[in-house]
Amino acid sequence: MNTARAIRDKLDHARQLLDAGEPTLPELAASTGLSASHLQRRFTARFGLSPAQYLAQRKLGTLRSALREGNDVSAALYEAGYGSPSRVYEGGAARLGMTPARYRAGGEGEQIRWSIATTALGQALVAATERGVCMIELGDDAEVLEAKLREEFPKASLDRVDAGRDDFLAPRLRAVAEALGGKQVSVPVDLIGTAFQKRVWDALMKIPRGETRSYSQLAAELGAPQGARAVASACAHNRVAIVVPCHRVVRSDGSLGGYRWGLPMKQRVLEREQAA
């Protein structure tokens, strides 16, 4: 086994340990045989998140799903792995952007500031509470973007601010715009879903820039040769455009198939990557 493959296997093992529990960085290092600093650097380079960020996103995604399904807040917190209600406010709620109870209630009682920035791929809506970004949405129609925000948080107080005129929102708008422009920046994202969705999204991030795979090819790679529809569903539930490149999955005949942000956007992104 070559060195690069061995490192990838060690990183995959570290991710599996994070999916199964809450190991510390030293524990992950001991389990993989890598130094803590080397593991931190290589894990972040491969998955786009540090081990600690990956764990936080996994727990937050579980919490988010449970709340949207109508589960009791306390039960949802413990199911997601938060040892006590206070733990979610120490880290998770900052990424969720609001308390779990308010998220479940459609953002009731929350003040959400939002704006739309013009990026290399069109318009991007970025919304945030005082504690963090709570939504990123792409599209060419500002009214449609706003409607999606209001659908996500129907009971929140939504305040639109002009781009660049909000000290908290402005840097997040810039980060999203730079990411959509192809730059490597740190943008908080939620890469969490069901176990199968996570496997699909991981596989998507391994498809080289400028290449594509069919839904059936990806399903076969995941050991689910009859799972093309499940792969398509996982792509449709991706809320992080470009970072998780579901645009790189097409139909077996080469046609584009579907795309959460529209086929013109998918075609545009693919052409940009293939040209590069």
Side-chain angles (χ1 to χ4, degrees), residues 58-120:
R58 176 180 68 78
K59 292 169 65 176
L60 178 61
T62 301
L63 173 62
R64 187 191 297 265
S65 297
L67 292 172
R68 278 304 189 201
E69 290 171 1
N71 291 4
D72 173 80
V73 172
S74 295
L77 287 171
Y78 286 103
E79 179 184 338
Y82 295 100
S84 67
S86 64
R87 291 292 300 277
V88 71
Y89 303 108
E90 294 169 4
R95 292 186 176 84
L96 186 64
M98 61 188 62
T99 66
R102 286 183 174 178
Y103 182 80
R104 178 187 178 191
E108 184 174 6
E110 281 294 333
Q111 294 283 332
I112 296 179
R113 291 169 288 173
W114 64 279
S115 190
I116 296 177
T118 299
T119 76

Side-chain angles (χ1 to χ4, degrees), residues 3-258:
T3 301
R5 176 61 182 275
I7 292 294
R8 287 198 299 270
D9 288 346
K10 291 177 183 291
L11 296 176
D12 286 340
H13 179 57
R15 180 176 57 80
Q16 291 167 2
L17 292 173
L18 289 167
D19 284 338
E22 298 185 37
T24 64
L25 182 60
E27 289 171 342
L28 286 175
S31 296
T32 59
L34 300 173
S35 69
S37 60
H38 190 201
L39 173 62
Q40 176 97 343
R41 183 172 65 256
R42 296 299 293 268
F43 190 98
T44 303
R46 175 155 191 197
F47 298 113
L49 298 167
S50 70
Q53 290 171 330
Y54 183 95
L55 178 59
Q57 294 284 14
R58 176 180 68 78
K59 292 169 65 176
L60 178 61
T62 301
L63 173 62
R64 187 191 297 265
S65 297
L67 292 172
R68 278 304 189 201
E69 290 171 1
N71 291 4
D72 173 80
V73 172
S74 295
L77 287 171
Y78 286 103
E79 179 184 338
Y82 295 100
S84 67
S86 64
R87 291 292 300 277
V88 71
Y89 303 108
E90 294 169 4
R95 292 186 176 84
L96 186 64
M98 61 188 62
T99 66
R102 286 183 174 178
Y103 182 80
R104 178 187 178 191
E108 184 174 6
E110 281 294 333
Q111 294 283 332
I112 296 179
R113 291 169 288 173
W114 64 279
S115 190
I116 296 177
T118 299
T119 76
L121 295 177
Q123 298 186 89
L125 181 148
V126 180
T129 67
E130 292 181 352
R131 293 173 299 280
V133 172
C134 57
M135 184 175 179
I136 297 174
E137 188 70 33
L138 308 179
D140 293 322
D141 189 322
E143 291 184 358
V144 171
L145 291 177
E146 181 178 353
K148 290 181 178 180
L149 174 64
R150 294 186 182 281
E151 181 180 356
E152 183 76 5
F153 302 108
K155 298 182 181 180
S157 174
L158 302 176
D159 299 319
R160 181 169 185 172
V161 297
D162 292 334
R165 296 190 179 182
D166 187 300
D167 290 340
F168 180 83
L169 196 57
R172 286 152 179 79
L173 280 168
R174 288 195 297 271
V176 171
E178 290 173 359
L180 298 180
K183 295 184 179 180
Q184 187 71 27
V185 297
S186 177
V187 180
V189 296
D190 189 347
L191 297 176
I192 308 304
T194 67
F196 185 77
Q197 285 173 338
K198 288 189 291 183
R199 291 180 61 206
V200 171
W201 297 337
D202 284 346
L204 292 175
M205 290 187 283
K206 296 174 185 176
I207 301 175
R209 185 180 178 88
E211 297 184 15
T212 60
R213 300 287 187 275
S214 70
Y215 294 102
S216 57
Q217 284 178 322
L218 203 59
E221 290 177 12
L222 294 171
Q226 305 303 315
R229 288 187 178 181
V231 168
S233 177
C235 291
H237 284 86
N238 170 31
R239 297 298 192 271
V240 191
I242 312 304
V243 177
V244 178
C246 53
H247 58 274
R248 295 176 189 166
V249 187
V250 298
R251 291 176 175 167
S252 297
D253 63 3
S255 60
L256 293 181

